Amino acid sequence: MEKKILFVASECSPFVKTGGLADVIGSLPQALKNQETDIRVILPLYEDIITNYFDNMEQVATIQVSVGWRKQEAVIYHYTHDDIPYYFIGNDYYFARKGIYGYYDDGERFVFFCRAVVDALSVLDFQPDVLHGHDWQAGLALSFAKILQPIDELKTVFTIHNIKYQGILPIDTFDELFSIPREHIPGIEWNGLLNCMKSGLFHADKITTVSPTYAEEIQTPYYGEGLYSLLKERQSDLSGILNGIDVEQFNPTKDPYIPKNYSDCREDKSENKQLLQEKLGLPIDGEIPLYVLISRLVDQKGLHLLQAILDEFLQHDVQVVVLGTGDYEFENYFYHAQQRNKQKFVAYLAFDEGIARHLYAASDFLLMPSLFEPCGLSQLIALQYKSVPIVRETGGLKDTITPYNELTSEGNGFSFTNYNAHDLLHVLTYSLRIYHDQEHWKKLHDNLNKCDFSWKTSAQSYQALYDSLLASVHDA
Ligand code: GLC
């Protein structure tokens, strides 16, 4: 039996990206698509997408969408990319702006988007069996679908990529923005506010998140960001499915961004390292261990730990490079750290995909001491490029990285448990010792070569979830 799945999301590579969500929405459909699965994706039509893709899009419908007492037009476009059909919701007032988020009316923009997605279902030539929303921006699509029932027996799945961001609006915007009866407020309200993520969780038949450990963590007050009690109640409908990565795209044997392609060769990696050192003005020496951090510079990423011990760690014969942009506090700190440690530390405060790939290829270690990490993609990319991840044992980091054990020679990285700066320093110093021990370093690399984090297994788990939901429809 054919399954029809519609992903609802706010970002998707290659069209628009601010974080890991875009990578997942851009690559999971490829892994899910098969003879029995017709998977499509619906997104807002942002200005950057208009600039880069509009000429090849086909207009399929125009609808009038209710936003409170007003009507807003949504023009729906269709575009096929790499055999996946995409739909885009166009409305210049809400989406023809620079970037994706960060506007005062983000809440209203995604109320509109979600309502437009559900209203579009009755005009599209595609009637999904499962509406699968990702993160808060898509939460209300599930709610509108359940409330307005545009399709009989439509099933809903909601995936949490990061529970920290929930899309919260003042309660009095209900009458202004939502054109549904007030009896539905309890399904959307949380702690006296309208909460788009809560509404997705409430109206979803099944809830997933992006790693088994995070699925457990978010049921606790420490990680649950105020929603843990709701998740605990829905425990039997909640599961964690680990993200994969597109192993064709992240492939050091043919990555066009890196100067020297390689499979598993220390000399080739070292050549990439020396070219990087030259580019960044660091002393050129292929033997010096190179640690990199490639990340948005925000609290979540555990940067306070690194701040506390960076100068101390730089006393060793090492080089450290940080790549990324984010909060002023961190950019400022790393900028000054570079002034103090010119021969050893570089802060590259921009996001540049080419440099990022070069860093994965050149580095010996990737740092990810996250405070929390739903799944994390950088550690998976690092494994592909044979850079050893050093992580805190949380969320997907815990599920993908096993600490190296000298006694058994098992493990594909280094890790520590508590959110504590000197635990990080301790594990960094330990990683240095293993780096200089040829026998252990080789065994660790042999383990890296055996890792497989392609989408295959995860795609099977999603298929099984859809099948179980649809079986309940057909049995009924
Ligand atoms: C979010 C999470 C990250 C996860 C990604 C994709 O960005 O912070 O851990 O890998 O979503 O699911």
Side-chain angles (χ1 to χ4, degrees), residues 220-231:
T220 67
Y222 186 82
Y223 291 99
E225 301 286 347
L227 286 169
Y228 67 95
S229 55
L230 177 68
L231 290 159

Side-chain angles (χ1 to χ4, degrees), residues 126-173:
F126 179 72
Q127 304 268 289
D129 304 305
V130 179
L131 191 68
H132 187 160
H134 296 263
D135 266 356
W136 77 261
Q137 294 87 350
L140 290 169
L142 274 56
S143 316
F144 288 130
K146 287 288 182 188
I147 294 164
L148 304 170
Q149 300 195 327
I151 298 176
D152 285 346
E153 311 277 20
L154 178 71
K155 293 290 175 190
T156 51
V157 175
F158 185 72
T159 296
I160 304 167
H161 294 261
N162 192 339
I163 203 165
K164 192 174 175 72
Y165 305 101
Q166 298 177 2
I168 291 171
L169 290 115
I171 197 91
D172 56 14
T173 53

Side-chain angles (χ1 to χ4, degrees), residues 162-196:
N162 192 339
I163 203 165
K164 192 174 175 72
Y165 305 101
Q166 298 177 2
I168 291 171
L169 290 115
I171 197 91
D172 56 14
T173 53
F174 186 84
D175 294 330
E176 214 177 291
L177 303 177
F178 290 67
S179 325
I180 48 175
R182 299 192 106 227
E183 69 194 61
H184 296 292
I185 292 180
I188 303 173
E189 178 269 349
W190 192 248
N191 291 336
L193 298 160
L194 300 174
N195 183 317
C196 298

